[in-house]
Amino acid sequence: MLSSLKRLFGRKETESAAIGRRGEREAEKLLKKKGLMILARNWRSGRDEIDIICLDGKAVVFVEVRTRSVDALVSGYDSINRRKREALKRVCRSYFAKMKPRPITLRFDVVEVEHQEGTIGKVRHFSDVPLFSKAVNRSI
């Protein structure tokens, strides 16, 4: 729908954005293959966005997808800096606040997607990446 609106208003998707969207689709395929159920894609709260929200058993999993060139100096996993972590915390808190009933377990995962000139290569899933404190359900 968003791409349709962009076409309607004359905005073209950049090559980088197109590769990022392909990376998100590859990440989603991997998560589904691992048995996770997708709840939301590209969920926004204000200017913040989380790429994928899914369910793994009873755990709600927030997933950030990082699509990087195979020759990038910094891996996708390592590219999540302090500023991005704060934005991710804000969007996750916003989603959590709207949930009824509230889940017992929350988790943050990163999926790193490598590409070479737009062709998708390796897809790596890092589960339970430290973003939330141990007392997440009390502090979120």
Side-chain angles (χ1 to χ4, degrees):
M1 182 172 143
L2 183 59
S3 59
S4 299
L5 289 174
K6 286 180 182 178
R7 279 194 302 273
L8 180 67
F9 291 104
R11 290 186 180 165
K12 285 188 171 185
E13 183 176 56
T14 65
E15 184 179 345
S16 176
I19 291 169
R21 281 189 326 102
R22 271 188 264 151
E24 288 177 6
R25 286 193 302 270
E26 290 299 318
E28 187 177 329
K29 284 183 202 175
L30 176 67
L31 295 168
K32 285 180 177 179
K33 187 177 177 181
K34 288 185 167 194
L36 283 75
M37 183 176 81
I38 306 301
L39 299 175
R41 294 170 196 82
N42 304 108
W43 195 86
R44 298 187 71 82
S45 177
R47 67 178 192 261
D48 302 322
E49 177 187 57
I50 186 74
D51 295 320
I52 301 171
I53 303 169
C54 47
L55 202 57
D56 186 7
K58 292 186 179 185
V60 171
V61 183
F62 298 99
V63 182
E64 175 67 7
V65 179
R66 305 302 273 193
T67 304
R68 310 294 265 195
S69 172
V70 293
D71 57 356
L73 295 175
V74 177
S75 71
Y77 181 93
D78 292 321
S79 72
I80 303 173
N81 60 23
R82 185 187 58 80
R83 186 175 182 175
K84 182 63 176 179
R85 285 182 186 275
E86 292 305 315
L88 289 167
K89 285 180 188 178
R90 283 192 304 268
V91 72
C92 292
R93 283 184 184 117
S94 180
Y95 187 86
F96 180 77
K98 297 176 187 302
M99 294 184 75
K100 300 287 187 242
R102 294 223 168 116
I104 294 172
T105 306
L106 298 177
R107 192 174 85 212
F108 180 72
D109 290 2
V110 174
V111 175
E112 183 180 86
V113 180
E114 285 185 352
H115 77 91
Q116 186 162 11
E117 297 177 18
T119 301
I120 300 298
K122 292 181 183 175
V123 181
R124 294 180 194 90
H125 179 207
F126 300 92
S127 185
D128 204 13
V129 174
L131 178 67
F132 306 115
S133 69
K134 295 287 184 199
V136 67
N137 287 340
R138 291 191 299 273
S139 64
I140 202 165

